[in-house]
Amino acid sequence: MKKKIIKFPQVFLAILILLLIASIGLPCAAVQAAADDPKCWGAFVGIGAFDEYGAWEGVWDEDAEELYNEISPTWGVSHTQLIKNDEATKAGVLASLDWLANSAGPNDTVLFYISTFGSYTSGIMWVYDTVYSNASTFISAAELGNAIDRIDAGEITVILQMNNAGAYESDLEGDNRVIITSSDIGEPAWYSIPMGHSYFGKFVIDAFKNFNDADENHDFELTAEEVYAYATPLTTDENSDQHPQINDQYSGGLPILAKFACATIAPTSGSTLITLDGVDYTSSIAPRLWVPRIPHTLEVPEVINVDSGTRFAFTGWNDGVSSASRVVTHGSLQ
């Protein structure tokens, strides 16, 4: 945004710049959406202990919890669930999928993430109450696929972190879905005790922590595809016999988080410089993460009086928009 400075008795020009600071930290505050706005719903499942077999290194539950902690502050705790270990029975996991199905509408985004142990060869997923000799205690690819099919959301991302995760791909694929698996059919999904995570799970988490690096096209939206692109080479570098897979049937990139930030270097003497969603700011607006596709109203005054002889007059935004009031969903403005 540019401003003209008029100082009396002489007239000269100066520029007021609203500058995006993309590299500084991003406080995550959930946005209160209107009733008809797109919403995001997420279920995060981590199973690092089993009723029949006890604790199993304790890394897979940490995968889910840390990813939940990265996303839930933005999506909202009422729109996200974390279930771990003894809560993640077969009934508990299927109930979380039912909750997604009952909550999400056609205009919404859903993420289902699970990190657990899986069979190398038979395409079955272990849950807390799994008994190896009883096949009915596993969650099969068909059962998981049927549960995902009941979710009537416009955008669905499924991320599976387990051995042989690729065996689930064909049962989960569908229109407007991105299916990401930590390994191909018959491959292991390695983990690190010192790291406290599975390798793929850790690098998925890092994609959200390092938004700027993972946002490959720098459009201020982090998509499921970009998360996969960030985590995959790091995983393969650590374990050459593990190859994450993606089945992408979503047109374009499926956004999971959006980012917006701006700052000012202009002196305002306490005057309102920017109004965002009805909140007045007299200095820089801290960069923030948003739910994708939610509209936000951004306004600036036509004129700001700095003192008795100086004022700033609005002339336009750096992208050519001339209105002092506009709607934004993400991105950079000057």
Side-chain angles (χ1 to χ4, degrees):
M1 183 185 73
K2 295 184 178 179
K3 303 270 186 172
K4 181 188 296 182
I5 300 180
I6 304 174
K7 191 170 181 75
F8 301 99
Q10 296 179 337
V11 178
F12 60 90
L13 297 179
I15 299 175
L16 172 64
I17 302 176
L18 295 177
L19 176 66
L20 174 70
I21 309 296
S23 61
I24 63 179
L26 301 172
C28 303
V31 173
Q32 185 66 38
D36 56 348
D37 281 341
K39 300 174 181 64
C40 294
W41 305 89
F44 303 81
V45 181
I47 313 172
F50 301 89
D51 188 33
E52 188 79 4
Y53 310 103
W56 202 310
E57 311 297 359
V59 297
W60 300 311
D61 51 334
E62 294 301 318
D63 287 351
E65 183 167 10
E66 193 163 348
L67 186 59
Y68 169 84
N69 290 338
E70 287 297 316
I71 296 176
S72 65
T74 303
W75 284 15
V77 294
S78 64
H79 283 224
T80 50
Q81 287 188 349
L82 171 65
I83 60 172
K84 301 188 336 178
N85 298 330
D86 60 350
E87 296 177 330
T89 61
K90 181 172 182 176
V93 174
L94 294 178
S96 73
L97 288 159
D98 285 341
W99 173 75
L100 291 173
N102 293 330
S103 301
N107 200 32
D108 293 347
T109 295
V110 160
L111 170 61
F112 177 73
Y113 175 89
I114 186 166
S115 184
T116 186
F117 182 80
S119 167
Y120 283 90
T121 58
S122 54
I124 50 179
M125 175 188 295
W126 287 41
V127 289
Y128 179 76
D129 53 350
T130 284
V131 177
Y132 187 75
S133 60
N134 185 352
S136 68
T137 63
F138 298 95
I139 295 181
S140 69
E143 287 176 307
L144 186 59
N146 289 336
I148 297 294
D149 286 342
R150 290 194 293 271
I151 301 173
D152 184 26
E155 302 175 347
I156 297 176
T157 299
V158 178
I159 303 178
L160 302 184
Q161 156 52 45
M162 65 180 194
N163 300 322
N164 195 32
Y168 277 62
E169 180 184 312
S170 61
D171 287 87
L172 303 183
E173 66 182 1
D175 292 343
N176 298 320
R177 296 182 191 177
V178 177
I179 310 301
I180 298 172
T181 62
S182 61
S183 54
D184 204 350
I185 297 174
E187 289 184 345
W190 294 105
Y191 57 87
S192 166
I193 300 301
M195 185 184 292
H197 290 284
S198 68
Y199 283 105
F200 184 70
K202 175 63 164 62
F203 297 136
V204 166
I205 294 163
D206 285 351
F208 290 93
K209 289 185 173 182
N210 303 316
F211 189 114
N212 295 338
D213 294 332
D215 180 21
E216 286 188 309
N217 61 0
H218 306 295
D219 67 348
F220 306 97
E221 286 188 322
L222 185 60
T223 67
E225 293 87 349
E226 287 172 326
V227 170
Y228 169 81
Y230 180 92
T232 293
L234 295 171
T235 301
T236 303
D237 286 347
E238 291 287 346
N239 310 284
S240 60
D241 56 350
Q242 179 181 345
H243 301 88
Q245 303 292 307
I246 186 169
N247 185 315
D248 188 356
Q249 297 190 34
Y250 184 82
S251 178
L254 196 160
I256 297 177
L257 292 177
K259 184 173 72 174
F260 180 81
C262 61
T264 178
I265 60 173
T268 61
S269 302
S271 300
T272 295
L273 179 62
I274 309 165
T275 301
L276 180 64
D277 293 331
V279 178
D280 294 335
Y281 295 85
T282 59
S283 59
S284 300
I285 298 177
R288 65 218 33 225
L289 297 176
W290 283 342
V291 170
R293 301 183 290 132
I294 296 289
H296 301 263
T297 301
L298 181 68
E299 301 175 271
V300 294
E302 295 285 354
V303 174
I304 298 173
N305 293 312
V306 176
D307 54 40
S308 59
T310 305
R311 66 177 182 172
F312 290 77
F314 175 80
T315 58
W317 302 94
N318 65 318
D319 61 358
V321 175
S322 59
S323 173
S325 176
R326 62 186 300 174
V327 173
V328 295
T329 58
H330 62 282
S332 168
L333 287 175
Q334 295 181 350

